[in-house]
């Protein structure tokens, strides 16, 4: 269906692709992987014709429809979410919009004298809407939006009033409703909560077209893809199987290449030693010449490219008392909406609670109450006297000084620390070389999250309160964070939609549901086994 043949592409001074080739066949579900900046978005843009390769060609079979979801959703305003989603399905959305206008006009007393024309036109437009299967389309659009977490009110409200994350979901719903022959999805799992993520997973498993996607969520990728295409140093390499299998195959290939490289180096050293030893002796001249020629003809084996693996080790956190935080009879309302009514909850030393609950259940509110950034309407929140808390929330990223560089930001937080120590810290969190001189205002969401995390973990608290800490983080940084937090000696309370993170780090689960609050001993894996669901409100 889609072929990339000997692609060459340069962006500025960076060579992105060098004679790279890959194919996407009907029914294939492909995960596109590679380090940040490797060229994943450039590849999508070349397939959709938004950019052209410098060399080689991109071939797309005649008549193939392509749906492309990118993180850049553009401006959306003035229409309902449903209309915006149906817009991806072609002319039906324009007919739906006119139908809505005519319904408004029929209810307008100031237009009574035009009523005959309005009613006649309404009949014509309604007929056209039925011809285009508009009512079924409207139902399907609502089904997709509901799967992505929209309430009926949000579906019919102005899309312009939604946050950036919800607009992303509208843009994604548009592609899903369209059901093109090939879907290109750039980070579709960003901005989704766990329930929506699991719904999307099921949707994509049942989709029979070709799929090419990137995702920083390895569990999501594992469950959907049957092939991996890796971008590395300008080349495209295909691996059949899921992400887990790709990691094993890649490690095996690297091991084999390293062994081959070492064998060849040993052989070369032996040959060079012979040449050096006997080059001055006339009696060995023929042998020396023969070996020099042999060396010139040998294809040199390259050593495997060393992946930059990020590792971060915690300084030991000061020990806390046994009681970390205690909530007694806590009530919390926002306007007419009751979030908590008489909540009792206690966190003790070394517990690692993950908080589960559908959108609006009060997960972030609980974290804010414990962190002291929100107050209960009634009841008490008592934090232990020896508790040193670190609170990571999405708004923390907005509080970075935009004019400061990454390095200055770290220096301001830790004026006593040495330059070498801070550079090592920056490197652990993915800021190497000139990256430390970037100003905070130009950082991406992922870079800001990494910087805030670095500042919080350098001088570690003994109680970590984390609200979606893995949002925006790539797979390598997530792995580093999970490895580091697994060795962390303190107490944790966190919300995350990343199932790998949840399973690796939790030893308690607090589930917030409309029916009540349930606490489970054992971590996320035990919770799934015991309840038969991966998230509240979903049955597997």
């Amino acid at each position: 269906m889609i072929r990339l043949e000997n692609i060459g592409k340069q962006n500025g001074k960076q060579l992105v692709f060098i004679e790279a080739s890959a194919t996407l066949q009907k029914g294939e579900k492909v995960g596109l992987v590679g380090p940040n900046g490797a060229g994943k978005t450039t590849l999508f843009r070349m397939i959709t014709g938004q950019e052209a390769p410098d060399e080689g060609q991109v071939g797309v079979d005649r008549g193939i429809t392509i749906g492309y979801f990118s993180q850049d959703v553009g401006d959306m305003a003035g229409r309902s979410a449903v209309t915006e989603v149906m817009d991806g399905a072609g002319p039906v959305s324009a007919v739906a919009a006119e139908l809505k206008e005519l319904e408004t006009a029929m209810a307008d007393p100031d237009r009574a004298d035009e009523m005959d024309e309005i009613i006649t036109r309404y009949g014509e437009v309604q007929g056209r809407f039925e011809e285009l299967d508009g009512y079924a389309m409207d139902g399907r659009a609502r089904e997709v939006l509901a799967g992505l977490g929209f309430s009926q009110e949000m579906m019919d409200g102005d899309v312009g009033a939604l946050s950036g994350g919800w607009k992303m979901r509208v843009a994604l719903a548009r592609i899903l409703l369209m059901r093109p022959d090939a879907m290109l999805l750039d980070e579709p799992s960003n901005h989704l909560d766990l329930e929506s993520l699991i719904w999307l997973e099921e949707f994509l498993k049942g989709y029979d077209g070709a799929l090419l996607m990137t995702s920083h969520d390895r569990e999501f990728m594992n469950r959907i893809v049957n092939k991996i295409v890796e971008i590395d140093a300008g080349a495209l390499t295909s691996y059949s199987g899921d992400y887990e299998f790709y990691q094993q195959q890649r490690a095996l290939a690297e091991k084999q290449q390293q062994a081959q490289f070492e064998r060849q180096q040993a052989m070369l050293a032996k040959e060079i030693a012979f040449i050096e030893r006997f080059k001055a002796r006339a009696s060995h001249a023929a042998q020396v010449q023969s070996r020099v020629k042999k060396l010139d003809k040998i294809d040199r084996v390259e050593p495997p490219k060393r992946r930059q693996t990020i590792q971060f080790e915690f300084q030991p956190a000061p020990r806390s008392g046994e009681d970390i935080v205690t909530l007694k009879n806590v009530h919390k309302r926002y306007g007419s909406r009751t979030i908590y009514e008489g909540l009792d909850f206690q966190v003790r030393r070394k517990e690692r609670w993950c908080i589960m609950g559908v959108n609006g259940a009060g997960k972030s509110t609980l974290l804010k109450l414990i962190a002291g950034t929100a107050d209960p309407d009634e009841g008490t929140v008592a934090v232990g006297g020896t508790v040193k808390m670190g609170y990571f929330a999405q708004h923390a990223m907005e509080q970075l000084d935009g004019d400061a560089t990454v390095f200055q930001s770290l220096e301001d937080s830790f004026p006593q620390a040495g330059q070498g120590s801070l550079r090592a810290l920056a490197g652990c969190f993915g800021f190497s070389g000139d990256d430390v001189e970037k100003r905070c205002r130009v950082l991406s969401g992922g870079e800001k999250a990494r910087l805030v995390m670095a500042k919080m973990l350098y001088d570690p608290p003994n109680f970590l309160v984390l609200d979606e800490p893995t949002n925006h983080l790539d797979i390598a940084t997530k792995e580093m964070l999970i490895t580091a937090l697994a060795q962390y000696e303190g107490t944790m309370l966190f919300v995350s939609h990343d199932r790998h993170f949840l399973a690796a780090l939790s030893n308690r689960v607090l589930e917030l549901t409309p029916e009540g609050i349930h606490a489970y001993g054992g971590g996320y894996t035990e919770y799934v086994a015991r309840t038969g669901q991966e998230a509240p409100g979903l049955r597997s």
Side-chain angles (χ1 to χ4, degrees):
M1 288 174 80
I2 296 172
R3 293 168 306 286
L4 301 159
E5 294 167 359
N6 296 317
I7 296 297
K9 183 71 177 172
Q10 189 166 345
N11 283 344
K13 290 180 182 173
Q14 188 199 0
L15 280 168
V16 187
F17 294 108
I18 308 157
E19 295 186 351
S21 299
T23 59
L24 179 64
Q25 306 289 359
K26 184 172 168 54
E28 279 187 332
K29 294 187 166 70
V30 180
L32 183 63
V33 302
N36 279 347
K40 298 189 284 288
T41 302
T42 302
L43 189 73
F44 283 139
R45 290 174 64 81
M46 287 195 296
I47 292 172
T48 55
Q50 292 167 272
E51 283 188 38
D54 301 333
E55 293 165 14
Q57 59 182 20
V58 178
V60 178
D61 287 354
R62 191 187 293 274
I64 292 294
T65 54
I66 295 177
Y68 173 39
F69 167 75
S70 78
Q71 295 293 302
D72 183 14
V73 296
D75 194 35
M76 292 184 189
R79 300 198 291 178
S80 72
V82 170
T83 308
E84 196 69 50
V85 168
M86 283 168 66
D87 198 32
V92 70
S93 68
V95 179
E98 190 180 351
L99 208 54
K100 211 160 192 65
E101 279 169 26
L102 291 165
E103 282 166 4
T104 307
M106 285 194 290
D108 185 352
D110 294 341
R111 299 185 65 177
D113 52 342
E114 303 170 59
M115 207 47 72
D116 288 348
E117 293 94 330
I118 290 170
I119 288 168
T120 304
R121 180 62 187 154
Y122 184 79
E124 291 165 3
V125 174
Q126 193 176 35
R128 177 72 179 132
F129 191 63
E130 282 170 0
E131 260 174 52
L132 292 167
D133 207 14
Y135 288 109
M137 188 74 73
D138 181 271
R140 290 217 316 273
R142 287 175 188 278
E143 202 178 306
V144 171
L145 284 168
L148 294 176
F150 283 75
S151 64
Q152 289 298 330
E153 194 182 343
M154 287 167 78
M155 291 180 203
D156 292 314
D158 184 348
V159 77
L162 298 174
S163 69
W166 285 99
K167 283 180 180 170
M168 291 260 187
R169 296 189 194 204
V170 171
L172 177 58
R174 201 170 162 162
I175 305 297
L176 301 182
L177 181 70
M178 183 180 162
R179 285 194 98 100
D181 300 315
M183 274 194 217
L184 312 182
L185 304 180
D186 194 0
E187 293 296 344
S189 51
N190 268 7
H191 303 285
L192 295 185
D193 53 42
L194 192 47
E195 292 75 26
S196 305
L197 200 58
I198 292 165
W199 179 87
L200 178 59
E201 209 168 81
E202 291 306 314
F203 184 97
L204 292 176
K205 280 186 200 168
Y207 165 65
D208 54 9
L211 173 68
L212 179 66
M213 71 169 196
T214 62
S215 175
H216 290 158
D217 187 323
R218 59 184 271 175
E219 192 64 41
F220 178 72
M221 185 114 68
N222 265 336
R223 295 182 187 207
I224 295 167
V225 305
N226 50 29
K227 176 176 164 183
I228 293 284
V229 170
E230 178 192 55
I231 306 180
D232 192 16
L236 291 170
T237 310
S238 298
Y239 297 81
S240 57
D242 62 11
Y243 183 78
E244 212 78 30
F245 183 71
Y246 147 74
Q247 280 191 307
Q248 291 164 10
Q249 290 299 104
R250 197 181 192 289
L252 191 64
E254 276 183 4
K255 204 173 174 182
Q256 288 169 342
Q257 193 177 342
Q258 182 67 30
Q260 214 178 336
F261 171 73
E262 285 170 7
R263 277 198 303 273
Q264 192 181 66
Q265 288 299 304
M267 182 272 289
L268 291 173
K270 209 169 166 183
E271 294 293 319
I272 289 163
F274 179 90
I275 292 163
E276 286 299 316
R277 189 173 165 198
F278 295 111
K279 67 182 177 186
R281 295 192 194 178
S283 59
H284 286 73
Q287 283 171 288
V288 167
Q289 278 307 312
S290 152
R291 293 191 182 204
V292 167
K293 283 177 186 169
K294 181 178 152 191
L295 286 189
D296 286 342
K297 287 178 185 169
I298 284 175
D299 282 337
R300 301 292 167 113
V301 175
E302 292 291 321
K305 285 185 284 291
R306 288 274 165 241
R307 282 276 161 133
Q308 188 193 0
T309 51
I310 319 166
Q311 286 182 321
F312 177 73
E313 286 183 14
F314 279 97
Q315 304 295 321
R319 188 189 158 110
S320 67
E322 290 303 312
D323 292 341
I324 302 297
V325 65
T326 306
L327 285 76
K328 280 189 181 163
N329 194 32
V330 164
H331 292 247
K332 185 68 183 171
R333 284 173 214 83
Y334 287 116
S336 60
R337 202 156 63 90
T338 299
I339 308 290
Y340 297 119
E341 206 162 14
L343 168 67
D344 293 322
F345 176 54
Q346 184 171 43
V347 178
R348 295 179 65 77
R349 191 169 79 86
K350 287 208 168 186
E351 288 180 342
R352 293 159 172 252
W353 287 92
C354 74
I355 314 299
M356 309 284 296
V358 296
N359 256 340
K363 300 187 294 290
S364 293
T365 301
L366 180 61
L367 269 51
K368 285 175 186 168
L369 289 167
I370 287 170
T373 61
D375 296 317
D377 300 332
E378 290 174 47
T380 58
V381 178
V383 177
T386 54
V387 170
K388 178 187 171 191
M389 191 188 306
Y391 175 43
F392 176 89
Q394 299 305 308
H395 68 76
M397 297 190 279
E398 295 153 24
Q399 290 165 359
L400 292 168
D401 176 359
D403 290 328
T405 65
V406 168
F407 195 73
Q408 284 166 347
S409 188
L410 292 174
E411 273 189 322
D412 291 347
S413 296
F414 310 109
Q416 306 301 314
Q419 290 237 343
S421 168
L422 291 183
R423 285 192 183 276
L425 172 70
C428 282
F429 283 85
F431 297 104
S432 54
D434 293 342
D435 287 345
V436 292
E437 299 308 324
K438 280 185 181 176
R439 297 209 179 274
C440 290
R441 76 158 68 86
V442 303
L443 299 180
S444 67
E447 288 170 325
K448 284 179 181 172
R450 294 203 309 264
L451 177 55
V452 170
M453 198 75 72
K455 290 168 80 163
M456 188 171 75
L457 299 182
Y458 182 65
D459 179 20
N462 50 30
F463 180 35
L464 288 176
V465 178
L466 309 174
D467 194 357
E468 295 286 7
T470 60
N471 263 7
H472 310 292
L473 297 187
D474 61 24
I475 290 179
T477 313
K478 271 187 201 178
E479 288 300 327
M480 177 277 287
L481 190 61
I482 288 170
T483 304
L485 290 175
Q487 292 157 15
Y488 169 67
E489 288 289 311
T491 306
M492 285 172 63
L493 179 78
F494 58 90
V495 172
S496 174
H497 63 241
D498 188 294
R499 284 160 291 181
H500 180 49
F501 189 89
L502 291 169
L505 296 172
S506 59
N507 61 21
R508 301 278 189 286
V509 175
L510 188 73
E511 183 189 56
L512 312 176
T513 72
E515 293 75 46
I517 290 167
H518 312 287
Y520 296 87
Y524 177 71
T525 307
E526 289 87 344
Y527 163 82
V528 173
R530 199 180 306 178
T531 62
Q533 61 187 25
E534 290 193 299
L538 285 177
R539 294 286 155 191
S540 45

